[in-house]
Amino acid sequence: MQITSFNPLIVTKDSENVIKLFEELGFERRHKKEGINDKDITSVRMKDANGFHVDVTQVDQLPQDITTIRMNVRDFNEAIQLLESKGFKNAQGEKITNTGSSISTMMVSPSGFSISVAEHIRKEDR
């Protein structure tokens, strides 16, 4: 399995304050994706001068923040199969998020930690 990036992802109902904190830590907004899952879900990718990334996703109906690991891969199905073989479950049931430029879902381990798996759909594959 080829991992192309691996970084923290914070899912929160207060993304502006989380983003401001990371800006004070030296991170800059790099990319913003809105309307995820046809809902009012927005994700901001941030990067610092050392090349570290953090993603912050706004989900209004969340009872508390979730910190997960974002893992971008070349082959989404391969990554999902590997995690399922280790007992991970899709947090969305059978649903996979497709934004047109990526496919993703959050996988939860038997002990409760989670990995958000994503594959960017390359232009040549569209």
Side-chain angles (χ1 to χ4, degrees):
M1 179 177 67
Q2 184 180 0
I3 298 172
T4 59
S5 68
F6 198 83
N7 62 270
L9 164 62
I10 301 168
V11 185
T12 181
K13 60 183 172 186
D14 189 18
S15 64
E16 279 309 308
N17 281 326
V18 173
I19 290 168
K20 285 179 188 175
L21 169 65
F22 280 94
E23 286 174 333
E24 290 176 22
L25 293 170
F27 286 79
E28 297 178 359
R29 298 173 197 222
R30 305 297 287 190
H31 179 71
K32 183 176 185 179
K33 200 177 278 191
E34 298 177 296
I36 298 169
N37 278 350
D38 297 323
K39 296 180 182 173
D40 194 21
I41 298 174
T42 300
S43 189
V44 174
R45 184 147 177 87
M46 303 181 78
K47 184 178 180 181
D48 77 353
N50 296 310
F52 294 114
H53 289 92
V54 65
D55 295 287
V56 180
T57 299
Q58 173 77 33
V59 178
D60 293 332
Q61 67 274 15
L62 207 60
Q64 67 185 42
D65 291 356
I66 299 170
T67 303
T68 185
I69 299 166
R70 174 179 168 166
M71 182 173 72
N72 289 352
V73 296
R74 282 281 182 239
D75 187 327
F76 180 82
N77 291 327
E78 178 185 22
I80 296 301
Q81 288 173 359
L82 179 122
L83 292 174
E84 286 176 340
S85 76
K86 305 298 181 193
F88 282 72
K89 303 286 184 200
N90 184 341
Q92 301 186 93
E94 295 298 315
K95 184 172 176 21
I96 301 297
T97 299
N98 186 335
T99 66
S101 62
S102 66
I103 55 175
S104 64
T105 198
M106 183 182 292
M107 300 294 290
V108 181
S109 76
S111 66
F113 76 89
S114 61
I115 299 176
S116 287
V117 180
E119 177 185 350
H120 288 281
I121 302 168
R122 294 178 254 173
K123 289 179 184 177
E124 61 268 17
D125 294 336
R126 290 185 196 170

